[in-house]
Amino acid sequence: MSIRIYPTDQQVSGQFDEGRLVEQKPIGFPGEGSAVERVGTLFYWAWFQAKEDAYLPPHPHRGFEIISYLLEGHIQHQDTLRTKRSLKAGSLQVMQTGSGVQHSEKYEKGTSGFQIWFEPFLGEANYATPTYADYLEQDFPVVQKDGCTIKSIVGGSSPVQLVADAKMWDVTISAGQAFEMMVPEGYSLAGLVVEGSSTWCSFNETRLVEPREFVVCEGDASGLLRVGADVGGDTRLILIQVPSVLPYPSYKEVKIRLKVEIER
């Protein structure tokens, strides 16, 4: 299993509301220039931070499954499903956008978190009824093991189950301790380091990973990944497991096919 590291200069940045809301994107939109364009069903990942109170006006989505996971602060959400919700740190919102939905968000100064997009089979998802759901921090199962705190965010024992094949964890590793997990055959693991230096090991490969760096682990066979926190402090990671290869035609591939058919 290979371990590929992408520092911040291989990611891309963005901003909204005249710079009040800024983003670091391990996986940006096509054409934005991020070194990683997708990992299986995972095709967009932004780490946002509100420098001031910020507002995103109503904008549309269709087909994709979108999650927002708050590390700090407060968001007010509103959408065309008549949803009005207030979310705080540790909360998660899930939009299965189906046949189409519009939403807007208000961010309190100091709010930070992740917006992550997954691609289900759009031949079905584009015609599904859109849904919205959110979950509080206490809704997620937490396991304490060998100096690690492992919170299941998506899939497995989590109450959040997506149509797209994906699992997600929020992992904190105590200083000097290590976290281990098996990455199954046919799957990749994408990780973003929130804080702390760590050493990532798989077979004979060992790599040092610093805060805000993005890591992709993939291989032809199942393999054990070991992440050790530096003795100087705890390490916090967001880990997402997805199929290494999208198991159905992607949105981009479908658009290309349609364009070819039209031109004929």
Side-chain angles (χ1 to χ4, degrees):
M1 182 169 59
S2 65
I3 301 174
R4 291 179 288 151
I5 301 171
Y6 300 92
T8 54
D9 63 1
Q10 294 185 39
Q11 304 173 40
V12 293
S13 59
Q15 64 176 34
F16 297 95
D17 196 6
E18 298 181 339
R20 295 179 179 90
L21 186 72
V22 297
E23 293 182 321
Q24 171 189 328
K25 301 181 184 183
I27 304 177
F29 290 122
E32 286 192 316
S34 57
V36 181
E37 294 187 353
R38 77 156 53 232
V39 184
T41 55
L42 168 64
F43 75 102
Y44 181 80
W45 190 340
W47 185 350
F48 60 80
Q49 182 175 3
K51 299 292 187 180
E52 303 290 341
D53 290 349
Y55 177 61
L56 282 183
H59 55 282
H61 298 288
R62 179 174 179 174
F64 305 118
E65 296 180 286
I66 301 173
I67 67 172
S68 295
Y69 182 48
L70 291 193
L71 300 178
E72 297 178 297
H74 179 257
I75 288 179
Q76 293 182 3
H77 169 93
Q78 188 168 344
D79 61 40
T80 50
L81 303 177
R82 299 183 179 179
T83 307
K84 292 184 178 181
R85 298 289 288 170
S86 179
L87 302 172
K88 60 182 181 179
S91 298
L92 178 88
Q93 70 174 18
V94 182
M95 290 188 295
Q96 295 176 307
T97 59
S99 58
V101 64
Q102 293 194 39
H103 73 112
S104 63
E105 312 286 345
K106 291 182 179 179
Y107 300 81
E108 182 181 85
K109 180 180 177 180
T111 297
S112 68
F114 305 106
Q115 187 172 105
I116 304 170
W117 296 26
F118 299 94
E119 183 172 350
F121 174 49
L122 294 183
E124 297 175 353
N126 274 331
Y127 303 99
T129 301
T131 66
Y132 172 91
D134 56 54
Y135 304 84
L136 302 176
E137 183 173 16
Q138 57 264 34
D139 294 331
F140 300 105
V142 177
V143 174
Q144 305 279 350
K145 182 180 179 182
D146 300 330
C148 301
T149 301
I150 307 159
K151 182 186 296 185
S152 294
I153 305 300
V154 173
S157 58
S158 168
V160 181
Q161 303 291 324
L162 301 180
V163 174
D165 189 352
K167 293 181 179 180
M168 175 174 165
W169 301 269
D170 183 343
V171 179
T172 299
I173 310 168
S174 298
Q177 302 299 309
F179 168 74
E180 294 184 346
M181 71 173 292
M182 289 295 299
V183 181
E185 181 178 359
Y187 284 82
S188 294
L189 192 70
L192 187 57
V193 181
V194 178
E195 60 184 24
S197 298
S198 54
T199 302
W200 295 51
C201 304
S202 176
F203 296 105
N204 295 322
E205 186 174 14
T206 300
R207 304 290 299 276
L208 177 65
V209 183
E210 300 291 351
R212 307 191 78 90
E213 292 189 329
F214 183 51
V215 186
V216 178
C217 304
E218 62 182 4
D220 297 328
S222 60
L224 178 68
L225 174 68
R226 184 180 189 275
V227 181
D230 188 88
V231 294
D234 296 351
T235 291
R236 186 178 182 186
L237 317 168
I238 302 297
L239 299 173
I240 298 178
Q241 178 184 290
V242 290
S244 298
V245 179
L246 191 69
Y248 33 77
S250 69
Y251 173 68
K252 181 179 180 180
E253 291 170 335
V254 170
K255 283 186 67 176
I256 292 174
R257 290 180 187 178
L258 288 174
K259 183 175 183 295
V260 170
E261 289 176 4
I262 291 172
E263 289 176 347
R264 287 177 179 174

